Amino acid sequence: LMFPKAEFDDTSKQPGRGDFIMRDGNFIMMIENKNYSKNVQKSEIDKFYTDLKREQNNDIQCAVMISMKTGICNRHDFAFEVVAGKPILFIHKWNENPFVLKIAVNIFKNILSQKAIDIAKADTITALNNISKLIKRQLSAQKNMIDKHHSEALANLSNIEGHFEDLYSIISQ
């Protein structure tokens, strides 16, 4: 729903190709999806790195590792890295905020559109990682404000319903 023009290929049965490949015009992203009850282990991260370095994945421009319900071992949520010259992001607890994938895609598209940026340089990686953390933190704060507003609005609606019940009970007398 977030990417109506994109094509998604289920590559989960193809060894070393991730779980999905997203194609949106010239944009090609690998998605590694984990649905564990405990944090994604380091061995899965190592496999993800190995897959990105495979010759069969030269068409991949960027990648995300998504954990549906848990965190990812030794990685901050929305941590940015570069592997084999490809920008990657790690996304924790995706089920709680699926919109974060849209933000990741926008970040990747912006990075990849910049020909003058050298994403392999350590200071560039650090700067991009810091910015991605800020984006994630502000996104979480915004979601919390929306959730709070939503619950307050529901409480107000419940109060209004109660007033209508009071009104109708008076009228019926």
Side-chain angles (χ1 to χ4, degrees), residues 28-50:
I28 303 172
M29 177 176 73
M30 176 192 285
I31 300 170
E32 183 69 33
N33 184 46
K34 301 297 178 191
N35 192 15
Y36 297 161
S37 57
K38 295 183 179 181
N39 279 354
V40 177
Q41 296 297 308
K42 184 181 180 312
S43 59
E44 295 291 338
I45 298 168
D46 293 340
K47 181 184 171 303
F48 180 56
Y49 289 162
T50 300

Side-chain angles (χ1 to χ4, degrees), residues 74-101:
N74 295 322
R75 298 296 180 282
H76 292 287
D77 188 16
F78 226 64
F80 178 88
E81 295 182 15
V82 176
V83 174
K86 300 167 188 176
I88 64 171
L89 283 168
F90 294 91
I91 298 175
H92 298 204
K93 298 181 182 178
W94 182 80
N95 282 349
E96 293 179 8
N97 190 8
F99 187 73
V100 75
L101 183 59

Side-chain angles (χ1 to χ4, degrees), residues 16 36 39 44 74 85 104 112 117-118 133 148:
Y36 297 161
N39 279 354
E44 295 291 338
N74 295 322
L112 294 169
I117 190 170
D118 182 3
K133 286 178 190 175
K148 181 181 175 193

Side-chain angles (χ1 to χ4, degrees), residues 124-160:
T124 303
I125 293 171
T126 300
L128 290 169
N129 199 17
N130 289 338
I131 290 169
S132 70
K133 286 178 190 175
L134 286 172
I135 290 169
K136 177 60 180 166
R137 190 175 310 128
Q138 289 177 343
L139 179 68
S140 294
Q142 185 68 33
K143 183 181 181 305
N144 289 339
M145 285 191 305
I146 290 169
D147 290 345
K148 181 181 175 193
H149 177 72
H150 180 260
S151 62
E152 288 174 357
L154 288 176
N156 280 341
L157 286 172
S158 180
N159 288 338
I160 291 169

